[in-house]
Structure formats: structure tokens, C-alpha cells
């Protein structure tokens, strides 16, 4: 899978992962600051919709919910944006991802992407800048040694890899999606130029 990203839309392209909607134990496992799943789910939906507009694009890198298709649809229909979800059929999303066809949000059909992909973004001279998208943190990715980025979830802010790698999961982004502009800030903070 190859996606082209337009840097000029950096305030309209969002990344997130590990929502775990409807998953009560994630509050305890990750020490999330919520009393119960109702508060957690309401906060995550509210935070998402505060920053994501209907015409924006969101890449969700997996672990949306432990629930089935009905539960996934319940949450997705409350979220703004054109949502693209990396398939993670071996983990939490396995209960709904294979029954995806015909699932819609309030803004259009959900697009299920392969478990790993590369986004390219024209940037400067020469080859486009490469951004690997994967649910799991990985040690090596396309053009890593040429300054390429890797965005992932799964580790809930605990993975510290080498290179320009960043966990976009909600536990690592103050329970909000992060836009491409925010990713640039993170990478500049890591010394990327």
C-alpha cells in the first residue's frame, strides 16, 4: 500500500491508535485517568471531534475496539473525518475487521488498509519523504537510514526505538489524535531536518 500525503494539508491529516473503545481493563493496564469506560469513551470521542473536522483525513493505526462490528460501528459513527484504519486482524480489531464491508461513519465509508503501509510526501528536492505506518513498533523500515519516519501504536507510549519513530497512540498524545504538523514538531524535536 502506498499513500501520497500533501504536506500543505498538514493541519488536516491526523494519526492515532489504541483507542480501545469499550475496553474497561485498558484503564487499569495503562493507568488511564478515567473512572470507567463511559468516561473514557466519551472523552476520546470528544477529543477527536474537537480537532478533526468532517473533511479531514484520519489514519487509525489499529486497536480501535475489542468489540464486534456493531460496537465498532457505534463508535465510528460518532467520529469526524474520512477514516482509514490499518487492519490488525490478529489482535483487538479481529472481532470486527473481517466483517467490515458496508461499514460507514457519519461522513462516508471506512477504508480498511493493509496491516502496514508507506505514505510518501513530497518534501524538498529528490525522492519523496517516506513514512511507514504500522500498528506495531518495528526496528527497521523503508529508508530509515535516510531520515524516513515510522508511526505506530501498540506500545502505549512505552517503546523507545532508534531513528525517527513515534507512537501515535492516544496514551502518548494526551488522548487526542495528532496531526501531520504535530508529527513534524515531534520529528524536529528528535533532530530531524
Amino acid at each position: 500500500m502506498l499513500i501520497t500525503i500533501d504536506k500543505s494539508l498538514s493541519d488536516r491529516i491526523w494519526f492515532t491508535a489504541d483507542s480501545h473503545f469499550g475496553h474497561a481493563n485498558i484503564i487499569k493496564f495503562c493507568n488511564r485517568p478515567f473512572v470507567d469506560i463511559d468516561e473514557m469513551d466519551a472523552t476520546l470521542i470528544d477529543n477527536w471531534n474537537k480537532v478533526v473536522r468532517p473533511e479531514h483525513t484520519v489514519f487509525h493505526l489499529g486497536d480501535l475496539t475489542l468489540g464486534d462490528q456493531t460496537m465498532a460501528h457505534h463508535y465510528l459513527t460518532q467520529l469526524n473525518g474520512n477514516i482509514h484504519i490499518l487492519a490488525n486482524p490478529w489482535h483487538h480489531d479481529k472481532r470486527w475487521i473481517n466483517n467490515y464491508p458496508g461499514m460507514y461513519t457519519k461522513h462516508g465509508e471506512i477504508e480498511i488498509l493493509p496491516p502496514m503501509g508507506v505514505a510518501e510526501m513530497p518534501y524538498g528536492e529528490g525522492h519523496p519523504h517516506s513514512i511507514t505506518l504500522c500498528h506495531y513498533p518495528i526496528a527497521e523500515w523503508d529508508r530509515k537510514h535516510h531520515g524516513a519516519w515510522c508511526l505506530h501504536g501498540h506500545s502505549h507510549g512505552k517503546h523507545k526505538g532508534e531513528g525517527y519513530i513515534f507512537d501515535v497512540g492516544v496514551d502518548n498524545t494526551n488522548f487526542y489524535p495528532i496531526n501531520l504538523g504535530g508529527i513534524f514538531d515531534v520529528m524536529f524535536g528528535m533532530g530531524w531536518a
Side-chain angles (χ1 to χ4, degrees):
M1 167 200 70
L2 180 65
I3 303 164
T4 301
I5 292 180
D6 184 346
K7 180 183 175 293
S8 70
L9 301 176
S10 62
D11 62 336
R12 297 168 174 250
I13 299 171
W14 298 87
F15 301 90
T16 193
D18 302 312
S19 306
H20 287 258
F21 287 118
H23 183 189
N25 284 336
I26 201 68
I27 296 169
K28 175 180 62 177
F29 294 154
C30 292
N31 199 27
R32 289 186 175 182
F34 307 111
V35 174
D36 56 26
I37 58 172
D38 292 334
E39 180 187 6
M40 178 183 75
D41 291 351
T43 300
L44 291 174
I45 291 166
D46 187 49
N47 287 354
W48 179 306
N49 290 333
K50 280 180 187 174
V51 296
V52 176
R53 301 290 168 249
E55 69 277 9
H56 290 181
T57 299
V58 181
F59 292 96
H60 194 292
L61 305 189
D63 284 1
L64 178 82
T65 179
L66 276 168
D68 61 11
Q69 185 177 14
T70 300
M71 184 178 278
H73 187 258
H74 167 75
Y75 292 112
L76 288 166
T77 56
Q78 298 178 64
L79 299 171
N80 285 336
N82 299 302
I83 303 171
H84 308 272
I85 301 175
L86 290 187
N88 186 14
W90 310 283
H91 209 236
H92 293 303
D93 295 326
K94 68 184 176 186
R95 292 172 183 87
W96 70 271
I97 204 99
N98 293 325
N99 296 318
Y100 144 76
M103 187 175 291
Y104 293 85
T105 68
K106 59 185 177 179
H107 304 292
E109 190 171 4
I110 296 295
E111 182 180 14
I112 303 298
L113 302 173
M116 178 184 281
V118 175
E120 288 191 339
M121 175 181 59
Y123 188 83
E125 299 295 323
H127 295 291
H129 184 67
S130 174
I131 305 168
T132 295
L133 306 174
C134 185
H135 178 67
Y136 299 100
I138 55 179
E140 296 291 330
W141 58 89
D142 186 32
R143 298 179 240 170
K144 173 183 178 181
H145 301 294
H146 297 284
W149 306 343
C150 178
L151 304 180
H152 67 89
H154 187 67
S155 66
H156 300 272
K158 293 180 175 71
H159 178 76
K160 304 298 179 213
E162 294 180 10
Y164 300 108
I165 185 168
F166 183 69
D167 181 350
V168 299
V170 297
D171 298 286
N172 201 40
T173 59
N174 204 28
F175 304 101
Y176 281 86
I178 183 170
N179 68 18
L180 183 58
I183 299 293
F184 266 101
D185 291 343
V186 168
M187 296 306 174
F188 285 138
M190 291 180 180
W192 183 83

